[in-house]
Amino acid sequence: MELRLDERTALITGGSRGIGKQIATTFAEAGAQVMIVSRKAEVLEQAAAEIDAASGTKGCQWMVGNTGHPESAELVVAETIERLGAVDVLVNNAATNPYAGPMIDVDLPRWDKTIAVNLTGPLLLTQAAWRSWMKDNGGVVLNISSVGGLSTNAVLGVYDLTKSALIHMTQQLGAELGPGVRVNAICPGLVKTDFARLLWEGDRGAEVADGYPLKRLGEVTDIANAALYLASEAGSWITGQHLVLDGGGLVAFNSLG
Ligand SMILES: NC(=O)c1ccc[n+]([C@@H]2O[C@H](COP(=O)([O-])OP(=O)(O)OC[C@H]3O[C@@H](n4cnc5c(N)ncnc54)[C@H](OP(=O)(O)O)[C@@H]3O)[C@@H](O)[C@H]2O)c1
């Protein structure tokens, strides 16, 4: 019963594909009205139709927005309130990873872009949602971080730094925004989406899965089900936390045995 979002509205960035699209579908199935945001209108339109079809609902809203553009945050939140009447749940899911290599060699444009999309965007969206709705009406913010934010990596250090900072932002805002607003993060391991294709294509996915105690890669539903738990009343005593969903990978890699 508590795993419901009836009469709730949810704004999901990066909702046109992958994890964000499944979160939108799962939230719609749980009774929420959803708004998805990403950069390409045609993909959004198609995704909204598929979310409606998969969830058996009508009226998935979509809007073009780039979370790396500071002016986008207020526009997106205002449009969500205009069309849906509220922004009860904000899912900061969109992210980018334009640079692969040692952090010591990163160039300024790609450093700036990674921080703008993965860190500044979630902050500005949370500020806009807080100021225009959640401060007076309550709400839930979910930040999609990564297990990468909890470790080091030879080539993903810049991306991982933003995911680590997103965990800290989650803790900080969790402390600041109670009791009305809860702020939590999810840290996925490897999930088979376009974003992570280079990490699982060919034999690589099977190798990673083999290192996970649960012996499989993540599905988008694994992440969406946890997001529903954290967004719903079932998660009502949880704030400032990050939930690792990685088939046990992190504990296995840290194991001395
Ligand atoms: N897949 C994994 O293994 C994995 C592991 C750990 C964490 N994560 C995290 O999970 C989240 C979702 O990743 P995913 O794997 O589902 O990726 P995905 O399948 O590539 O989807 C990314 C979504 O974000 C949108 N997007 C990208 N840049 C954007 C921007 N600047 N402004 C607005 N929307 C933007 C994309 O649409 P457009 O490109 O059309 O804008 C798309 O809807 C990310 O935060 C990622 O870091 C993923």
Side-chain angles (χ1 to χ4, degrees):
M1 280 294 279
E2 288 186 327
L3 283 170
R4 296 289 306 170
L5 291 172
D6 299 300
E7 293 168 29
R8 294 277 185 273
T9 67
L11 165 56
I12 298 146
T13 68
S16 67
R17 288 203 308 265
I19 290 168
K21 185 177 171 192
Q22 184 58 48
I23 291 174
T25 305
T26 299
F27 281 14
E29 283 169 348
Q33 289 180 279
V34 298
M35 163 75 98
I36 57 172
V37 175
S38 68
R39 294 169 298 177
K40 298 179 195 102
E42 326 81 67
V43 185
L44 280 161
E45 189 174 16
Q46 174 76 22
E50 289 170 6
I51 289 164
D52 279 341
S55 63
T57 57
K58 279 189 184 152
C60 175
Q61 301 289 307
W62 60 269
M63 176 183 175
V64 172
N66 186 328
T67 60
H69 295 167
E71 67 281 4
S72 172
E74 281 195 25
L75 291 173
V76 162
V77 169
E79 187 69 19
T80 303
I81 293 173
E82 170 79 21
R83 287 201 229 163
L84 301 181
V87 58
D88 299 309
V89 182
L90 166 65
V91 184
N92 286 311
N93 167 76
T96 191
N97 183 26
Y99 174 75
M103 185 185 288
I104 195 69
D105 293 326
V106 70
D107 53 280
L108 189 57
R110 284 186 287 181
W111 169 270
D112 282 347
K113 182 176 178 186
T114 314
I115 293 197
V117 176
N118 298 3
L119 201 55
T120 310
L123 174 68
L124 296 180
L125 279 154
T126 307
Q127 285 181 327
W130 165 260
R131 288 169 185 160
S132 52
W133 182 260
M134 292 185 180
K135 186 178 178 185
D136 295 325
N137 301 283
V140 175
V141 178
L142 289 182
N143 295 320
I144 307 302
S145 177
S146 168
V147 283
L150 299 165
S151 58
T152 59
N153 185 286
V155 293
L156 298 175
V158 173
Y159 165 83
D160 285 348
L161 175 135
T162 64
K163 295 300 190 179
S164 183
L166 194 57
I167 291 169
H168 196 87
M169 188 193 293
T170 300
Q171 294 170 342
Q172 183 63 37
L173 293 178
E176 289 182 13
L177 303 187
V181 175
R182 297 188 294 107
V183 187
N184 290 297
I186 291 175
C187 299
L190 191 54
V191 182
K192 271 187 158 187
T193 65
D194 286 348
F195 189 79
R197 184 171 290 281
L198 278 178
L199 302 176
W200 56 258
E201 231 169 19
D203 294 335
R204 298 177 103 191
E207 283 166 26
V208 175
D210 197 46
Y212 288 174
L214 298 184
K215 301 295 178 199
R216 68 168 174 87
L217 299 186
E219 302 288 339
V220 288
T221 47
D222 292 316
I223 312 306
N225 290 340
L228 175 59
Y229 169 64
L230 290 170
S232 72
E233 274 304 294
S236 66
W237 208 42
I238 305 172
T239 199
Q241 301 303 307
H242 57 279
L243 179 57
V244 175
L245 300 175
D246 69 340
L250 202 62
V251 288
F253 297 147
N254 285 341
S255 157
L256 296 176

